[in-house]
Amino acid sequence: MTDVINFTAERLSEAELVELIEYHNRRYWELGEPEISDSRYDELMRALAKFDPEHPLLTAVYAPAVASLGSVRLTEPMLSLNKAYSFEKILDWAQKIKRFANELFLIEPKYDGISVCFDGKTLITRGAGEEGEDISDKIELIELETKNYVGKLNQPARGELLIRNDDFHNIYSRIVKSGGGHYKNSRNAVGGIVGLKDTALEMMKLQKAKLTLVDYSLISYPVNFDELKEQWEDILSQLRELPYPQDGVVIKIADENYAHSLGNTAHHPRGAIAYKFGGDEDEDTPNTILRNVEWTAGKNCLTPVATFDPLDITGTTIKRATLHNAKFIETNDIQIGDAIRVIRAGDVIPKISARGKVNGKDRTSALISHCPFCNSKLVRKGPELCCVSADCKETILQRLLAAIRNFGIEHLGEPTLRKMMEIGRVRHLGDLFELTAKDILQLEGFATKSAANLIEEIQKARIVNDYQVLAALNLPAVGINIAKAILTHFSLQELPNVTVEQLAAIQMSHKIGQKESFRVLGMIRAKAIHQELVLNTVFLEELLSAVKVIRSAGGEKLPTICFTGKMPEKRSFYEKLARSAGYEPVSEANSSLGLLVAMDVNENSTKLKNARKNNVKIVSLDEFLKEIVPAEDNAASQVEVGETMDLF
Ligand SMILES: [Zn+2]
């Protein structure tokens, strides 16, 4: 690769420019660790524009990696591999693609686990094309196997997350899965564990569950075309002896530059092909018949899930699989009654790969026009069908759930929230903050202590940063960086009235060392954000009336505040409160301090003495709380929280 820092943009080829720009995009947007200044970055962009003024990179929209666990946009969407079900097809492909007799191919196992990448900090799945999931909370369970190293996951790696066959035999026979019982096979186990969080995940850690990340570079057989023919069976039998679950073999061009130059078809990279073990040898054979499509609600759109005649794939009975989105159904012309093909390759969740060749006799559309939950007319947004009704209970539930997670309330899961909504106790986010321990105790599965804990967690989440609120709206491409940039120019209250042009002109600061430079948000992102903001006005208002928002630093300096004395709640609690009231908490009571809050103003602590000496304003905790919590707000805050806490 070209020197990523000391380059001369004018001397680089188009391909080199693209490579560098993509590299620095990743440093900036995904890792949050830029290595070059904005002006150096702009040199690359200008040079690329000379080659191709229409190059998509010049106008691309990026999203920064999310700080919390959640979806992560991938710079390089992972394409699935073209598949061959016979060795003849492999040879055909290799024969066509080789440039000379000694063209080198690599034969590698096609692991049956979850494809992930680890950059040294964040572990991300690469399962769903353009978006991956941050699963860093599983790192503790993972052992890395890469060249010359087996041990803790402590270095960047790209590979497959799986459970070794021997580990499955030895460890998983004693591990009790969430909900009881044992895992049926290692594929189920790895998928199950990756899907766990919070307490359920802690249980896995306590039981010493182990996952293995096999780096893709670990096992790779280099062969030329002749050797491919001669050694195929031999290599296959060696691969099958490896202690890793596999569902096939990957054959790829060894020369990365050549492979790269071949590019991709609409669906597959041309420089590699997968050979599938067993399964359906005859591609024309339909797998099963699509019987029905259920649409499940998400925070933004509806996802189609197919139900079909049961299938046995690699030892697991499957009756349901995702149909991805409305566009997939259209593109593949899939209708209820049709034959469909279901795969589980490399992915834990089964998915429909395509429609079989046979049309159903009585085909009925798999698409819907109205929301299955509220019956309002659905709206198409890109590939997705979305319910945009403000009254849709299911969408409200999913959005509430997303907001709840965004605000860091971890112990309130979907079933509990659903129950609360069903009994009418929670309709809006605001209702959540008025819940009492008594309300929670009425629900199944809660004891006095767990109910009190949940209430405490909810009340603490009442004070949120403004960018958390903005992130909770799930606007396209708005992560923490952009949210903060937007909020230094406009308050949340102002957002619904901000125009596209105003958004587009927002400058994002980009600091490297002492130097700070700026880049504007741009029209493409601004339009996308604006469109969603308009649709989310009601939800935003609801959020704002429910929580106490800490305003991001908007330029002017905030007055400082300091606390002294032993107070009923943790210091961090009062500091958060002070921030929400527009103060900047500091730890020292020097002459520049704006306000000192004391538990007992008559005490003689160093802070109090300093404050008196410097004529700093001193108030008691009670006075401070009265001052910052206005009367009406105070009423709303008089939440019955049982005897475990007394907030205000
Ligand atoms: Zn609806």
Side-chain angles (χ1 to χ4, degrees):
M1 192 170 176
T2 328
D3 189 324
V4 296
I5 295 164
N6 300 309
F7 53 82
T8 309
E10 291 78 10
R11 290 198 199 141
L12 299 175
S13 70
E14 184 177 358
E16 286 168 330
L17 286 167
V18 167
E19 193 181 10
L20 278 196
I21 291 167
E22 282 174 345
Y23 171 82
H24 288 295
N25 281 345
R26 209 175 100 72
R27 299 289 317 178
Y28 183 73
W29 292 106
E30 279 185 37
L31 307 176
E33 292 165 356
E35 288 177 344
I36 55 169
S37 68
D38 260 18
S39 61
R40 289 284 281 156
Y41 180 85
D42 288 340
E43 287 171 21
L44 293 171
M45 298 297 262
R46 270 197 298 276
L48 179 62
K50 275 188 196 158
F51 277 107
D52 178 7
E54 303 291 329
H55 197 285
L57 267 183
L58 298 171
T59 51
V61 174
Y62 300 103
V66 285
S68 61
L69 299 189
S71 294
V72 180
R73 190 157 286 271
L74 305 169
T75 38
E76 264 186 66
M78 204 194 141
L79 295 170
S80 61
L81 291 179
N82 197 5
K83 287 164 197 75
Y85 294 90
S86 69
F87 185 52
E88 278 67 36
K89 281 200 177 169
I90 301 279
L91 284 182
D92 272 352
W93 169 83
Q95 176 74 47
K96 271 185 214 148
I97 213 158
K98 74 179 167 72
R99 294 166 294 180
F100 33 75
N102 269 336
E103 182 76 69
L104 217 53
F105 295 88
L106 298 175
I107 302 179
E108 295 174 0
K110 190 168 183 311
Y111 302 103
D112 193 2
I114 299 172
S115 189
V116 296
C117 53
F118 180 64
D119 60 11
K121 270 193 280 184
T122 314
L123 182 69
I124 301 167
T125 65
R126 299 189 298 144
E130 292 188 347
E131 281 214 331
E133 297 297 321
D134 180 348
I135 53 164
S136 304
D137 53 346
K138 278 82 184 180
I139 289 173
E140 205 184 309
L141 297 173
I142 299 170
E143 188 171 86
L144 173 65
E145 291 190 30
T146 186
K147 279 202 171 125
N148 306 323
Y149 175 82
V150 174
K152 278 200 315 206
L153 177 55
N154 61 2
Q155 51 185 290
R158 267 171 175 269
E160 196 92 352
L161 195 58
L162 45 77
I163 293 168
R164 287 173 56 109
N165 297 336
D166 47 344
D167 283 341
F168 186 73
H169 183 77
N170 297 328
I171 305 176
Y172 284 81
S173 53
R174 60 169 170 75
I175 284 180
V176 181
K177 66 179 184 181
S178 183
H182 298 284
Y183 287 107
K184 240 166 95 184
N185 59 47
S186 75
R187 296 159 193 93
N188 283 348
V190 78
I193 291 174
V194 163
L196 296 177
K197 50 182 211 146
D198 305 333
T199 324
L201 181 60
E202 285 311 314
M203 289 307 294
M204 278 301 146
K205 291 180 182 170
L206 281 175
Q207 295 187 78
K208 301 214 174 342
K210 180 189 149 195
L211 304 176
T212 298
L213 171 52
V214 183
D215 194 285
Y216 285 138
S217 65
L218 182 66
I219 295 152
S220 191
Y221 292 82
V223 288
N224 64 26
F225 185 71
D226 287 334
E227 289 165 338
L228 175 65
K229 279 191 284 190
E230 289 156 18
Q231 299 178 17
W232 176 251
E233 287 300 334
D234 197 7
I235 291 173
L236 244 58
S237 64
Q238 286 182 49
L239 289 180
R240 281 178 187 273
E241 297 216 25
L242 292 169
Y244 313 113
Q246 302 158 57
D247 60 353
V249 180
V250 176
I251 304 97
K252 61 187 189 191
I253 292 282
D255 180 345
E256 280 184 24
N257 288 332
Y258 175 46
H260 203 236
S261 75
L262 291 167
N264 306 315
T265 68
H267 306 287
H268 312 293
R270 290 199 179 88
I273 193 165
Y275 173 79
K276 300 268 290 150
F277 289 151
D280 40 338
E281 302 285 36
D282 181 2
E283 275 195 271
D284 293 336
T285 308
N287 276 173
T288 185
I289 305 295
L290 177 64
R291 294 297 176 197
N292 195 16
V293 176
E294 292 164 13
W295 293 79
T296 59
K299 59 196 177 187
N300 286 326
C301 61
L302 299 170
T303 302
V305 177
T307 53
F308 42 80
D309 294 346
L311 264 183
D312 190 70
I313 304 181
T314 51
T316 312
T317 306
I318 294 166
K319 289 184 285 191
R320 291 161 62 84
T322 178
L323 270 162
H324 313 278
N325 52 46
K327 187 173 173 221
F328 180 85
I329 295 175
E330 280 171 4
T331 315
N332 290 284
D333 184 27
I334 293 171
Q335 299 203 16
I336 293 165
D338 284 349
I340 48 165
R341 305 174 54 77
V342 185
I343 52 166
R344 274 191 72 245
D347 237 313
V348 178
I349 304 157
K351 57 188 177 194
I352 313 293
S353 68
R355 183 164 67 83
K357 292 260 162 79
V358 192
N359 284 351
K361 270 188 197 142
D362 304 303
R363 305 175 83 206
T364 52
S365 173
L367 291 169
I368 51 173
S369 58
H370 289 76
C371 176
F373 306 102
C374 71
N375 207 32
S376 59
K377 189 137 177 50
L378 295 174
V379 173
R380 181 73 180 261
K381 285 191 201 167
E384 317 276 5
L385 273 176
C386 310
C387 175
V388 295
S389 161
D391 304 317
C392 182
K393 283 213 171 96
E394 193 63 25
T395 307
I396 292 172
L397 176 100
Q398 296 299 332
R399 301 205 130 204
L400 274 180
L401 209 57
I404 283 168
R405 295 207 181 112
N406 236 306
F407 293 166
I409 303 173
E410 289 171 5
H411 294 95
L412 181 57
E414 182 175 333
T416 307
L417 183 64
R418 195 178 284 279
K419 253 299 180 26
M420 286 175 179
M421 291 182 76
E422 270 166 19
I423 61 173
R425 191 60 194 83
V426 172
R427 288 191 182 85
H428 307 284
L429 198 66
D431 298 337
L432 202 64
F433 295 103
E434 282 168 30
L435 285 176
T436 64
K438 225 167 106 193
D439 290 324
I440 309 244
L441 274 171
Q442 285 173 357
L443 301 175
E444 228 170 272
F446 279 95
T448 316
K449 177 114 176 66
S450 54
N453 285 347
L454 178 56
I455 291 286
E456 185 170 341
E457 196 181 37
I458 292 173
Q459 286 305 322
K460 288 197 171 154
R462 194 184 190 115
I463 304 164
V464 292
N465 292 302
D466 52 4
Y467 55 85
Q468 278 176 297
V469 176
L470 191 54
L473 295 182
N474 307 304
L475 303 179
V478 176
I480 296 296
N481 283 344
I482 294 184
K484 283 183 176 168
I486 293 174
L487 291 163
T488 43
H489 293 80
F490 303 101
S491 71
L492 284 170
Q493 286 79 0
E494 289 164 342
L495 276 184
N497 301 317
V498 171
T499 65
V500 177
E501 289 73 20
Q502 281 175 312
L503 279 175
I506 287 178
Q507 290 194 321
M508 288 181 298
S509 129
H510 182 186
K511 208 169 185 178
I512 294 165
Q514 295 298 310
K515 277 171 89 184
E516 193 175 20
S517 54
F518 296 91
R519 193 188 302 169
V520 294
L521 192 64
M523 281 305 275
I524 296 174
R525 266 183 295 205
K527 269 186 194 158
I529 294 168
H530 185 263
Q531 194 186 355
E532 284 299 307
L533 265 177
V534 172
L535 288 172
N536 279 289
T537 310
V538 176
F539 187 55
L540 178 61
E541 275 168 17
E542 188 195 311
L543 280 176
L544 289 178
S545 63
V547 297
K548 205 158 179 56
V549 177
I550 302 171
R551 181 91 168 88
S552 288
E556 86 260 42
K557 259 192 136 159
L558 299 171
T560 52
I561 192 169
C562 186
F563 293 87
T564 182
K566 182 150 174 41
M567 298 179 174
E569 285 289 326
K570 276 194 192 143
R571 190 56 44 90
S572 58
F573 172 77
Y574 297 106
E575 289 180 350
K576 218 172 158 191
L577 209 56
R579 269 200 200 97
S580 75
Y583 289 95
E584 171 69 29
V586 293
S587 56
E588 262 182 74
N590 56 29
S591 59
S592 66
L593 183 66
L595 181 68
L596 181 67
V597 180
M599 189 61 203
D600 177 0
V601 292
N602 298 316
E603 253 188 7
N604 272 322
S605 70
T606 318
K607 282 179 185 171
L608 273 163
K609 277 196 241 168
N610 277 342
R612 283 180 204 127
K613 195 172 76 192
N614 292 311
N615 288 322
V616 169
K617 188 180 173 191
I618 302 169
V619 296
S620 71
L621 180 61
D622 283 347
E623 285 171 298
F624 169 68
L625 293 177
K626 264 181 217 143
E627 181 203 326
I628 65 160
V629 184
E632 39 163 354
D633 215 328
N634 214 351
S637 311
Q638 298 289 321
V639 181
E640 278 179 55
V641 286
E643 282 148 21
T644 51
M645 63 181 307
D646 187 11
L647 262 185
F648 295 110

